[in-house]
Structures are given as structure tokens and as C-alpha cells.
Amino acid sequence: MMNFTHMVINESLRLGSLSPAMFRKVVSDVEIKGKFESLFWYTIPAGWIVLVVPSLLHYDPQIYEQPCEFNPWRWEGKELLCGSKTFMAFGGGARLCAGAEFARLGMAIFLHHLVTTYDLSLIDKSYIIRAPLLRFSKPIRITISENPLSSSHQYANLF
Ligand code: HEM
């Protein structure tokens, strides 16, 4: 149900990185083995604090082709899980966001009503700034008008 809406939500969360970083305490030594011997092999010792930065994954061109592009279709056919090794908008593992499904449902209902009830048009352009959260060079001004074809508009006209 509402599959495309969930693709839009995943893509917005991927680009938006609402939670820019998460701290984790290393409980036992972790061996990291990179592609090339020795140079990228190292140990994260137990007791260290690690900063997990989801946007490094979310903007990795090896995982997401043309990562700066807003393209909901890239999620087509993929399982829209709240957390995976390549999508961490809601964190991951044992501390995965407890409200993830609830938040997704709220966003889906809001987006559905927004785009089916209203027409939106951009008044002037703004540019995206990542610092590290998503911001805009200046406020985005839009015109919102009720879509005359929307069911809520037709219902309101009955009275
Ligand atoms: C788009 C909306 C949301 C985003 C992006 C988000 C993101 C996150 C992230 C990244 C974490 C993990 C933090 C960490 O591992 O240190 C987290 C944890 C958590 N979130 Fe959310 N969250 C959202 C909405 C919500 C909502 C609506 C609720 C409650 C109704 C909620 C409740 C929680 C709770 C209780 C935790 C702690 C889980 C634990 O540590 O076991 N979140 N959230």
C-alpha cells in the first residue's frame, strides 16, 4: 500500500539525514579489514566511543548512484526496511528507532493528503546547503492552492 509514498519517504530521509550522528561504545575489540592488506586493517579497541555518521552511507556513490539527486525510483523493488547496513535514517540494530514505523505512517498520511488535496508551485529558487544537516540558502517560498479535483474540495462544495 502507498509504495511510491514510502519510496519518497526513504529518499527524503536518505538525503535529509535528520539524525546526523550517533554515538556507540565499543564493548569488545572490533577488527576492521579493508580491501587492501595492512593499510586499511585496524582494530577499534574495547571502551572507545565511535561516532556513526549515516550520511557517509547515504551519500556513498558506490551504494547510491548519483547520491545528491532526489530520485525516489532508486528504491523501486527494494525492501523498504527502517534500518539496514545501507540505510540508517532511523539508526540500526538493537537501538533502532522505536518510533520508526509510527513516524513513517505519519509522514505517509501527511504526504498523501498534501499532494492529493493541494497544488504546490515554487515561487523562487533556493539552493541546498549541507552543514551537515540539510539547509537552504534562503527560505523556500511556495504557493499552495487547493486542487479543485481533490475529493475533500468536492465534499466541501456540497455544503
Ligand atoms: C522521522 C522521524 C524520526 C527519525 C529520523 C528518528 C531517528 C532515530 C534514530 C536515528 C534513533 C537512534 C539513535 C541512536 O541509536 O543513538 C532513534 C531512536 C529512538 N527513537 Fe526515533 N526517529 C524518528 C521518530 C520517532 C518517533 C515519532 C518516536 C516516538 C513516537 C521515536 C522514538 C525513538 C526512541 C524511543 C528511540 C530510542 C530507541 C532505543 O534506544 O532503544 N522516534 N530515532
Side-chain angles (χ1 to χ4, degrees), residues 13 18-19 22 24 89-91 94-99 102-103 107:
L13 291 171
L18 297 178
S19 189
M22 291 168 273
R24 288 291 181 275
F90 292 105
R95 309 314 297 242
L96 181 77
C97 173
F102 179 65
M107 288 185 277

Side-chain angles (χ1 to χ4, degrees), residues 3-16 58-59 63-78 80 87 128 130 134:
N3 209 36
F4 185 69
T5 312
H6 284 284
M7 285 156 63
V8 169
I9 290 169
N10 262 40
E11 188 64 349
S12 308
L13 291 171
R14 180 186 72 80
L15 285 166
H58 296 168
Y59 285 89
I63 303 171
Y64 298 99
E65 207 175 294
Q66 297 184 310
C68 293
E69 207 172 89
F70 180 80
N71 175 17
W73 292 108
R74 69 171 83 242
W75 296 96
E76 196 176 17
K78 293 192 181 140
L80 298 168
F87 182 67
I128 292 173
R130 292 189 181 87
L134 205 67

